[in-house]
Amino acid sequence: GKWRSLRFHRCRFHRCMRLPSKLATLAAAFTTSPRMMSAVAPPIAKRVPHTVTFGRVDGENRGPNPMEPLELSDDLFWIRDDSRKNEDMLQLLRDENAYSQHKTSTLDGFRGTLYDEMLSHVQEDDDTHPTPAADGYEYWSRTTKGKSFRVYLRRPRGSAGEEQTILDVNEVPSLQYFKDEGGWDASQCDVHAVETSPSGRLLAYAVDGSGYETYTVRLKELGSGVEMEEEIRGTGGSIAWADERTLFYVKLDAQHRPFEVWRHVIGTAQAEDVRVFEEPDELFNVDCWTSRDASLLFIESESKETTEMLFVPTATPAADPTLIRRRKFGERYDVDSHSPSRTLFLTSNADGLVNRQLYSAPIDDPANWTPVAGGDGAPVLPHSASRSLDGVSAFGGFLAVSGREEGFTQLWVVALREGVAAAGAHRLGFEDESFTAELGSNRLFEAAGRLRVEYSSMTSPRQLREYDVGAGYSHATLKEQPVPGYDPSLYQTRRIEVAA
């Protein structure tokens, strides 16, 4: 529900697409093993008596109103090992993998055929469309045939000038810090976030090589391309810049739950970092990000049913966080900032609503929410039992609201004049009867009336569209995902409704 600054993630698809070839190699090894040929019986896990207690447990935080203790026996509990070092557990997994490979060895040829068929419809050499940013650059990423991970690039905005590689994830495992880290392996390389500083001078990225998703934040000077020695260890992977010298990050507790937000000043040791926020309730996870207008650093604490958010002005990153609205069970909200009018825009189901509606609040009085209304005083996106709103994204001249209506994802645009709704909400129209539409990468707050949308259907490959929200909502297709061998004229998509 949150539309944040552009975040980059590892190319899980390309890792998965390599898997069948690895399986083929493993199959050859297993089928030539004498032990493998005789291992017909499935491995049987040993049973170790263990009792698991649900509900109230003395000395543990089980929520505000835990149920009475309930004890259940789980004699396979020993298989859980968060350290991944229990040799009995590891050997059981090896035996299970070997048995599975033995029983499915006749499918080896089919695996290769299926892999080749899937790969024939994938454009392996591909670039995402460049996204302009406020630092004067436009950013994109690239996948290359035969390589597992993405390359992240940039160039000056509006030019076809020489591209600059800001991070090649394929090269990260060869860097000295990665090789020196005990327990890290190139096959487990995971770059979770890639974030440039506000001026574009520095790069921060979160990397893990253990497979456990505990990330080290590394810094890189983009002018020289030099990796800095400075690093932040033991993080959850989220990175948010406040200014050129200050970034915020999330730390994990013993259960691997994101529970704290910390502030780091570039050029200082991690031991000097300051804890900004802590979430003691084990039902809640914490995250942080910078608003599109770069004026606020948002901190979110969220459970499955409840949200609580705070903010820190990026102009004063050492200030204490300001609470937007105190949590109330069952109430959720998302927020974005419109700094020219000093306004927060929110979607929420507060005050007992089934679905969310669109609100605004003064930054100086963030708990005072008012439904966003048009010139006639009527709410532009009021509560509706048949419409579900999700997140709101604020731009200089308009709001973009995501949600679902008539069974499909939808997007609404609300024009703004000096931070006030200038007209009612306009729902974007799409041509297919069945489709998916969501906001694309929109990094510019002053977007000149342009909104990027990702659109796809069962017959339309994924498209990046740019809508002109100030001129009749016309759009241009910036990029369509190449699908080799696909002929759209052979297919059609229909929506058929059947009475319940």
Side-chain angles (χ1 to χ4, degrees):
K2 297 165 287 296
W3 302 105
R4 312 176 185 176
S5 62
L6 181 64
R7 304 258 174 132
F8 300 111
H9 300 275
R10 64 177 171 177
C11 182
R12 297 180 184 271
F13 178 75
H14 273 254
R15 296 189 69 188
C16 292
M17 291 303 292
R18 294 167 61 208
L19 188 58
S21 62
K22 292 183 177 180
L23 285 174
T25 301
L26 288 172
F30 281 129
T31 52
T32 56
S33 166
R35 177 180 179 183
M36 184 64 245
M37 296 301 291
S38 61
V40 177
I44 304 299
K46 64 182 179 180
R47 304 286 174 159
V48 178
H50 183 85
T51 299
V52 179
T53 303
F54 296 87
R56 186 176 65 253
V57 176
D58 292 340
E60 294 188 18
N61 182 2
R62 294 295 181 97
N65 187 30
M67 66 181 184
E68 290 299 312
L70 173 65
E71 294 186 346
L72 296 177
S73 176
D74 183 0
D75 53 12
L76 295 175
F77 188 85
W78 68 271
I79 296 177
R80 172 174 177 169
D81 176 30
D82 292 340
S83 71
R84 293 168 168 77
K85 295 179 180 179
N86 183 313
E87 187 56 36
D88 288 345
M89 177 271 294
L90 293 173
Q91 187 57 50
L92 176 63
L93 293 179
R94 295 187 196 106
D95 292 343
E96 288 181 341
N97 288 338
Y99 178 76
S100 175
Q101 182 60 44
H102 173 75
K103 297 295 286 186
T104 61
S105 60
T106 58
L107 300 176
D108 286 348
F110 176 71
R111 288 191 187 105
T113 301
L114 183 60
Y115 172 76
D116 291 340
E117 169 67 17
M118 293 173 64
L119 200 60
S120 71
H121 298 294
V122 174
Q123 184 74 30
E124 295 188 84
D125 293 319
D126 195 23
D127 284 18
T128 61
H129 193 80
T131 299
D135 61 7
Y137 292 93
E138 52 189 24
Y139 293 83
W140 76 101
S141 66
R142 173 176 297 153
T143 56
T144 304
K145 184 176 181 178
K147 294 188 176 181
S148 299
F149 304 109
R150 290 186 176 270
V151 178
Y152 297 99
L153 309 105
R154 73 177 182 181
R155 67 188 178 201
R157 278 173 57 184
S159 76
E162 184 177 355
E163 61 189 37
Q164 176 190 7
T165 297
I166 61 174
L167 184 68
D168 185 344
V169 182
N170 299 284
E171 296 180 355
V172 167
S174 66
L175 298 177
Q176 194 61 48
Y177 78 83
F178 192 101
K179 293 189 289 186
D180 290 344
E181 188 69 38
W184 281 20
D185 184 88
S187 65
Q188 296 294 329
C189 179
D190 175 8
V191 171
H192 179 71
V194 177
E195 298 282 353
T196 52
S197 64
S199 73
R201 184 178 67 87
L202 297 177
L203 176 75
Y205 67 95
V207 58
D208 172 51
S210 68
Y212 195 44
E213 298 184 347
T214 299
Y215 298 92
T216 295
V217 175
R218 297 285 305 184
L219 295 166
K220 184 177 180 181
E221 209 289 316
L222 292 180
S224 63
V226 173
E227 284 269 343
M228 300 167 62
E229 293 298 322
E230 189 170 345
E231 64 180 17
I232 307 169
R233 302 177 64 84
T235 82
S238 295
I239 306 167
W241 289 92
D243 56 30
E244 283 299 303
R245 298 187 63 248
T246 313
L247 59 82
F248 290 68
Y249 61 94
V250 172
K251 293 187 74 172
L252 307 170
D253 66 7
Q255 285 70 46
H256 219 67
R257 175 180 67 97
F259 82 120
E260 291 178 336
V261 175
W262 287 69
R263 183 177 69 245
H264 176 79
V265 176
I266 303 301
T268 66
Q270 185 176 357
E272 300 177 33
D273 291 356
V274 176
R275 184 174 62 192
V276 178
F277 176 80
E278 179 182 14
E279 176 53 72
D281 192 328
E282 294 175 355
L283 297 178
F284 284 75
N285 292 335
V286 168
D287 201 0
C288 65
W289 66 93
T290 307
S291 60
R292 181 178 289 98
D293 63 15
S295 69
L296 300 180
L297 187 290
F298 286 118
I299 297 172
E300 178 189 66
S301 187
E302 182 180 43
S303 72
K304 296 292 185 181
E305 299 172 291
T306 307
T307 309
E308 183 176 79
M309 294 185 64
L310 309 90
F311 64 81
V312 176
T314 56
T316 54
D320 292 334
T322 297
L323 178 65
I324 294 177
R325 181 177 280 197
R326 192 167 303 281
R327 71 187 64 176
K328 182 178 179 181
F329 179 77
E331 290 190 355
R332 298 174 59 84
Y333 60 92
D334 284 279
V335 62
D336 205 358
S337 168
H338 190 271
S339 55
S341 62
R342 293 190 57 77
T343 302
L344 298 176
F345 288 99
L346 314 96
T347 60
S348 179
N349 67 333
D351 303 322
L353 298 180
V354 176
N355 293 321
R356 300 188 188 196
Q357 67 176 338
L358 182 64
Y359 296 93
S360 66
I363 288 181
D364 298 324
D365 189 11
N368 183 16
W369 299 357
T370 303
V372 175
D376 59 359
V380 297
L381 278 174
H383 174 263
S384 171
S386 61
R387 177 181 59 222
S388 172
L389 302 183
D390 294 325
V392 56
S393 293
F395 298 84
F398 62 93
L399 303 176
V401 182
S402 63
R404 186 176 289 271
E405 192 172 40
E406 298 177 354
F408 295 107
T409 53
Q410 306 285 358
L411 294 169
W412 293 266
V413 176
V414 179
L416 295 178
R417 185 177 296 114
E418 297 181 354
V420 177
H426 174 87
R427 196 180 85 180
L428 297 184
F430 303 103
E431 62 272 21
D432 288 310
E433 293 185 31
S434 172
F435 61 87
T436 298
E438 58 190 16
L439 288 186
S441 176
N442 293 277
R443 299 183 68 171
L444 290 177
F445 177 71
E446 296 296 343
R450 306 287 178 172
L451 179 68
R452 293 191 173 188
V453 173
E454 291 191 349
Y455 173 84
S456 64
S457 75
M458 288 186 287
T459 57
S460 299
R462 195 168 189 85
Q463 299 174 357
L464 177 63
R465 299 178 171 185
E466 186 171 76
Y467 283 80
D468 187 343
V469 301
Y473 295 95
S474 61
H475 76 270
T477 299
L478 302 180
K479 178 180 174 63
E480 180 173 283
Q481 183 65 40
V483 184
Y486 171 63
D487 182 358
S489 67
L490 300 177
Y491 305 91
Q492 62 176 306
T493 178
R494 295 285 305 277
R495 171 176 175 160
I496 300 174
E497 297 186 15
V498 179

